[in-house]
Amino acid sequence: MELIELNNVYKTYHLGEVDVPVLKGITLTIGQGQLVALMGASGSGKSTLMNILGCLDRPSSGDYWLDGQEMSRVANNQRALARNQKIGFVFQNFNLLARTSALENVMMPLSYNAEHLTDRQARKRASELLERVGLAERMHHHPSQLSGGQQQRVAIARSLINDPPLVFADEPTGNLDSHTSVEILQMFQTLNREQNITIVLVTHDANVAKYAQRVIRISDGVIEE
Ligand code: ADP
Ligand code: MG
């Protein structure tokens, strides 16, 4: 069983009377422990595909098996639970809460999780993750007191708080300078290698794709890998 199996997935958006077909029969598998770049031009359907793979949206037709569970037809609350337990997200704009410390940002996704930790255990786990991304000295800083690269490292720590097997990063270096981008990409490589976390880097940037073991290319809603 692969971690991700997508069979003939279509996604069409409906804007009033107009149908907008975006994904046009996508079939692909991604195994546990892979570091994959999902590449394509702007408008090719990368984010639409990532939203389906990340259980944020469902296909119009076709199947999506995640870790042995068919996700396209399960109820919304089941999908939200699977997303929370199995998937971490990292975004181009970091998406940190501004008036909250790095530590509390990292703890945030825990509150949605059924599995309960005491506040003390939660803080311990979050501070260990911040140490792992090299921010032990910055735990009580707010995002505005951190550089872009440091903010993205907080976001990476946050994505790992529920110990997911799978992390999606949508243009994670899009707002970073080239030196900082390399540090962030190397961090993803280390997480992949040392913890066998499956990582999908969504990008239009061929330099980012160099850090992946495998490149999946999407063009006009079809895979041309
Ligand atoms: P990418 O991430 O590769 O730039 P997207 O998946 O965001 O591409 O978008 C693919 C196409 O789908 C674009 O033409 C976009 O306009 C369209 N699209 C995306 N989201 C929606 C939506 N919610 N409603 C209608 N059209 C959408
Ligand atoms: Mg996009």
Side-chain angles (χ1 to χ4, degrees):
M1 182 186 78
E2 303 281 12
L3 181 64
I4 284 177
E5 280 191 40
L6 217 51
N7 289 316
N8 207 23
V9 161
Y10 285 76
K11 180 70 180 182
T12 298
Y13 293 111
H14 304 283
L15 293 175
E17 301 283 283
V18 181
D19 289 349
V20 184
V22 176
L23 301 182
K24 303 167 186 169
I26 302 246
T27 296
L28 68 88
T29 60
I30 298 176
Q32 177 70 48
Q34 289 191 356
L35 173 50
V36 177
L38 173 62
M39 281 200 76
S42 179
S44 57
K46 299 184 298 297
S47 293
T48 301
L49 179 56
M50 194 199 84
N51 288 343
I52 290 171
L53 294 174
C55 299
L56 295 160
D57 199 0
R58 53 172 97 228
S60 304
S61 67
D63 310 330
Y64 174 28
W65 291 84
L66 171 63
D67 200 17
Q69 186 181 16
E70 209 291 307
M71 301 308 302
S72 68
R73 283 172 284 274
V74 302
N76 286 343
N77 61 338
Q78 282 297 109
R79 222 149 30 100
L81 189 65
R83 181 169 69 235
N84 189 239
Q85 291 176 340
K86 294 182 180 169
I87 305 175
F89 293 94
V90 175
F91 300 98
Q92 178 169 358
N93 298 320
F94 323 131
N95 288 14
L96 301 177
L97 295 177
R99 290 168 190 285
T100 306
S101 70
L103 188 73
E104 285 165 325
N105 267 286
V106 173
M107 289 166 63
M108 201 64 67
L110 275 176
S111 52
Y112 303 108
N113 202 319
E115 175 198 350
H116 242 74
L117 298 181
T118 64
D119 189 59
R120 188 140 170 267
Q121 289 168 324
R123 283 175 184 276
K124 180 162 181 286
R125 175 152 175 74
S127 59
E128 284 167 357
L129 286 167
L130 283 166
E131 259 171 58
R132 198 186 306 163
V133 299
L135 289 177
E137 315 296 310
R138 297 285 186 279
M139 291 190 194
H140 302 292
H141 287 55
H142 285 199
S144 65
Q145 300 166 320
L146 298 171
S147 69
Q150 288 171 334
Q151 290 183 58
Q152 196 59 303
R153 285 192 270 156
V154 174
I156 291 171
R158 179 183 59 187
S159 78
L160 301 174
I161 190 74
N162 291 317
D163 206 13
L166 175 61
V167 170
F168 289 100
D170 197 351
E171 303 284 2
T173 60
N175 286 1
L176 302 176
D177 63 66
S178 55
H179 176 77
T180 309
S181 295
V182 169
E183 286 178 2
I184 292 294
L185 292 166
Q186 287 173 340
M187 186 163 284
F188 282 120
Q189 286 183 320
T190 303
L191 289 169
N192 169 255
R193 196 171 50 234
E194 293 182 355
Q195 295 180 255
N196 204 39
I197 298 174
T198 305
I199 297 177
V200 180
L201 300 172
V202 180
T203 185
H204 68 279
D205 182 347
N207 288 318
V208 172
K210 282 185 207 150
Y211 290 80
Q213 301 152 352
R214 172 181 171 202
V215 178
I216 298 171
R217 279 174 216 285
I218 180 169
S219 172
D220 197 19
V222 296
I223 299 291
E224 30 169 57
E225 185 173 28

